[in-house]
Amino acid sequence: MAEVVQAGLWGLVAGSALLLGAALGYGVRVPQKVIATVMAFGAGVLLSAVSFELVGEAYDQAGLAPAAVGTLIGAVAYTAGNVWLARRGARHRKRSGHQQSAAQPSEAQQGGSGTALALGALLDGVPESAVIGVSLLDGGAVSLVTVAAVFISNVPEGLSSSAGMKKAGRTKGYVFGVWAAIAAASTVSAVLGYTVVGSFSPALIATVTAVAAGAILAMIADTMIPEAFEDAHLAIGLITVSGFLVSFALSHA
């Protein structure tokens, strides 16, 4: 199978987890502590993948400067986009809306917030999917750890966000339309990560990988951790560490 097709398929697999999470969040009343638990586990998984599969790989390929500069650029770019979207109603796009202060606004409360939520979901999903395609450049085989980490983290993201969308009065068509579009965008992003980045020099590939890592780290801190610890119970830190160790074990298997 052509590697570009593999990149697209793996991106689709990872992105489909958003639809799975959305189905659970919209159709099933999931207790808040369960959402927090799953989100904490997903955050731990992504933190490990970013550390060992992305930043670590960028450092091995090009050294400290490209890895550090790329990570900072990714974090700055994500934060700038996030600030712009937050002012348009997408501040709590990954929140389940359990607490009123963290509830997503309805379209009546803030016009254009539906579009902002969709763009916010795209902002969160593109860096994760792009690194799946980039991982194929290293030996022609996708990093299953990266795919697994993105898939595992996408389930709680879709679950929590769709629950919040439902509470904000979004229709079923809107909720599943958004996540289906993001799943499709994940496919395209993985393909572009392979085809476009593949033409770059090794040092530039390492920098792009680090940029994606920085964006993902900023996303974890801004959207996943707050939801995970909103209704924190005593084991939440242990659950985050467990997710980290599962991903770490997969990367060294």
Side-chain angles (χ1 to χ4, degrees), residues 4 15 41 53 55 60 78 80 86 96 128 143 176 181 184 202 204 212 223 230 233 245 250:
V4 66
F41 186 84
E53 293 292 313
V55 177
D60 290 341
Y78 176 89
S96 61
E128 298 176 343
S143 170
F176 288 98
L204 193 51
T223 65
E230 183 172 298
H233 46 77
L245 289 175
L250 287 172

Side-chain angles (χ1 to χ4, degrees), residues 12-89:
L12 180 60
V13 167
S16 66
L18 291 167
L19 280 170
L20 174 61
L24 292 172
Y26 196 90
V28 180
R29 186 175 180 83
V30 182
Q32 188 63 27
K33 288 190 181 296
V34 173
I35 294 177
T37 297
V38 178
M39 191 68 84
F41 186 84
V45 168
L46 267 187
L47 284 170
S48 179
V50 167
S51 300
F52 298 104
E53 293 292 313
L54 301 183
V55 177
E57 183 67 23
Y59 173 80
D60 290 341
Q61 288 182 336
L64 179 60
V69 171
T71 302
L72 285 173
I73 290 173
V76 169
Y78 176 89
T79 301
N82 196 44
V83 168
W84 186 83
L85 289 168
R87 292 173 178 171
R88 287 155 179 79

Side-chain angles (χ1 to χ4, degrees), residues 6 46 53 78 86 107 134 138 173 175 197 200 203 217 238:
Q6 290 185 49
L46 267 187
E53 293 292 313
Y78 176 89
E107 195 67 25
V134 173
D138 186 17
V175 173
V197 179
F200 296 166
L217 276 173
L238 178 61

Side-chain angles (χ1 to χ4, degrees), residues 94-195:
K94 286 288 194 296
R95 311 298 290 275
S96 61
H98 177 67
Q99 294 184 4
Q100 191 60 36
S101 61
Q104 299 177 16
S106 65
E107 195 67 25
Q109 292 171 322
Q110 186 167 355
S113 58
T115 301
L117 286 168
L119 291 174
L122 184 65
L123 176 68
D124 296 337
V126 165
E128 298 176 343
S129 302
V131 296
I132 292 175
V134 173
S135 72
L136 266 166
L137 299 172
D138 186 17
V142 73
S143 170
L144 293 179
V145 176
T146 302
V147 174
V150 174
F151 186 94
I152 292 171
S153 65
N154 275 347
V155 172
E157 287 183 45
L159 190 159
S160 180
S161 185
S162 63
M165 289 177 180
K166 183 178 181 180
K167 288 182 180 179
R170 309 287 176 189
T171 65
K172 183 183 295 186
Y174 171 86
V175 173
F176 288 98
V178 165
W179 294 119
I182 301 307
S186 297
T187 304
V188 174
S189 181
V191 170
L192 292 177
Y194 176 79
T195 56

Side-chain angles (χ1 to χ4, degrees), residues 195-218:
T195 56
V196 176
V197 179
S199 63
F200 296 166
S201 67
L204 193 51
I205 291 174
T207 302
V208 171
T209 301
V211 168
I216 294 170
L217 276 173

